[in-house]
Amino acid sequence: MKDAPDAILGSEQAAYLEGIEPARDALLEEMERFAHDRRQPISDPEVASFLAVTARASGAKRIVEVGTNIGYGAIVLARAAGPSARVLTIENDPQTVTIARGYIARAGLDAQIEVRQGDAIAELEALVAGPDEIDLVYIDCVKEHYTRYLELVVPRLSARGVIIADNVLWKGLVAKSEVPAKEQARVDALRAFNRALVSDARLRAVVLPLGDGVGYAVRSSS
Ligand SMILES: C[S@@+](CC[C@H](N)C(=O)[O-])C[C@H]1O[C@@H](n2cnc3c(N)ncnc32)[C@H](O)[C@@H]1O
């Protein structure tokens, strides 16, 4: 979730784009209010729309989300991908896992979404040691670990697979010469991630000025 509406776009443009987002259903609206009131970092609505469009366009059946929070992104992805798709989503905080499972149950998506409690890197390492390919990966977790998540998932990406990474422009700070000291490590990590994403010969990738910045990659044709 972006902290400042004008971090990437001008505030007028950001407000305009948020204003044309279609209304969410009652459950997603409740989740947005819950996240706002408890300062939980769920995806921005326009990023959620991008997830839904990409899930539909790619026909993804095996989806992995790195960073569940309260289950907002997982619900959007599962609904868009349809009943034959499966979403595995990883969250390390037990209380947050319980909240996410509650919302997922209320969405009627228990059978489609598995919330796995654990550390994202450890869970991804276990996952990619198995035989299954991944059709869509949504990276939305520890910013300092994005490059490691990428290294782990690229070899398991299916031929038409898609990688989406949120917050890669981090309030616009990745493009600034002056960065607050408390943000420096995160900004350095995201700069390294963006460079790795767009320069990986196995991928064709772009960084989009959507929400807080979204990295978007498919397999390269070569
Ligand atoms: C930005 S939120 C995810 C939002 C979610 N993807 C959505 O679309 O609404 C990131 C989540 O990652 C979790 N997290 C932080 N460190 C983690 C780790 N090492 N392993 C797994 N999850 C972690 C946080 O508790 C937080 O809920």
Side-chain angles (χ1 to χ4, degrees):
M1 181 180 276
K2 56 186 177 295
D3 288 344
D6 58 352
I8 311 297
L9 296 168
S11 53
E12 282 179 354
Q13 289 79 20
Y16 168 75
L17 291 178
E18 283 204 10
I20 62 167
E21 272 297 309
R24 270 74 71 194
D25 72 357
L27 184 70
L28 290 183
E29 279 188 0
E30 181 186 323
M31 294 175 81
E32 288 170 16
R33 280 196 302 277
F34 178 94
H36 179 266
D37 294 347
R38 312 255 183 125
R39 298 193 59 78
Q40 291 296 315
I42 66 169
S43 293
D44 290 321
E46 63 268 36
V47 174
S49 287
F50 183 71
L51 294 175
V53 170
T54 306
R56 300 279 302 165
S58 65
K61 298 291 175 220
R62 289 150 302 185
I63 298 173
V64 174
E65 180 186 44
V66 189
T68 311
N69 195 252
I70 63 170
Y72 185 82
I75 289 172
V76 168
L77 283 164
R79 283 176 172 174
S84 62
R86 294 290 173 269
V87 178
L88 170 67
T89 180
I90 305 166
E91 169 63 52
N92 70 344
D93 180 64
Q95 284 180 325
T96 309
V97 166
T98 301
I99 294 166
R101 286 183 178 144
Y103 279 124
I104 288 163
R106 285 177 57 196
L109 293 169
D110 279 334
Q112 241 185 291
I113 302 175
E114 178 192 349
V115 184
R116 197 167 288 178
Q117 192 202 324
D119 174 67
I121 291 176
E123 293 298 333
L124 281 179
E125 283 173 345
L127 185 73
V128 301
D132 292 341
E133 292 193 315
I134 307 169
D135 299 320
L136 191 156
V137 184
Y138 180 36
I139 297 175
D140 191 18
C141 199
V142 180
K143 309 310 162 196
E144 290 85 341
H145 297 169
Y146 269 31
T147 303
R148 180 64 184 144
Y149 304 149
L150 187 68
E151 285 168 358
L152 287 167
V153 298
V154 169
R156 278 276 165 263
L157 200 61
S158 61
R160 307 291 296 170
V162 182
I163 298 171
I164 301 169
D166 199 15
N167 309 110
V168 300
L169 296 177
W170 198 244
K171 309 169 203 173
L173 290 176
V174 298
K176 298 230 185 222
S177 48
E178 301 274 321
V179 174
K182 70 179 172 62
E183 299 285 10
Q184 191 67 58
R186 203 170 287 137
V187 165
D188 287 346
L190 287 169
R191 286 175 177 156
F193 172 79
N194 289 337
R195 195 159 288 281
L197 187 77
V198 300
S199 62
D200 190 318
R202 299 166 296 178
L203 301 174
R204 190 76 176 90
V206 64
V207 173
L208 302 169
L210 174 74
D212 193 25
V214 171
Y216 184 54
V218 295
R219 293 189 80 93
S220 62
S221 52
S222 54

